[in-house]
Amino acid sequence: MPTTTIDRNADVATLINVFTVLPERQRELVELLVRATEEVMQHRPGFVAANIHASVDGTRVANYAQWESVQAFQEMLADPACQEHMSAAREIADAEPFLYDVASVHHS
């Protein structure tokens, strides 16, 4: 089973999407993103992994997701079912989605 791999040599497209949310709506956003991942995203071709993080202060949610390629990510964006979930998330919070390359990894 594929898992999240944070490695400079990993051949994946990495999405980091940081949502800014009101603290009273953070849990709602997390639940929506988890549901979207379980019901739709993980079944899309090229999906590798998604990790949803909730900030301790309640004002942010981060989605660290990986796709097999930029093309697989772009095809997901064009899927109407995916668009529906992304639209619902944008009704709850502001989003800042960007694709990233791993620049550096350090371990103890």
Side-chain angles (χ1 to χ4, degrees), residues 22-61:
L22 294 172
E24 60 269 21
R25 297 198 77 186
Q26 184 190 54
R27 176 61 32 205
E28 177 186 5
L29 178 60
V30 166
E31 290 171 0
L32 180 133
L33 294 172
V34 169
R35 192 169 53 255
T37 301
E38 291 174 350
E39 294 176 2
V40 179
M41 303 300 180
Q42 71 181 9
H43 304 290
R44 292 281 315 150
F47 174 86
V48 175
N51 305 272
I52 311 300
H53 305 263
S55 69
V56 174
D57 70 358
T59 64
R60 303 263 189 306
V61 174

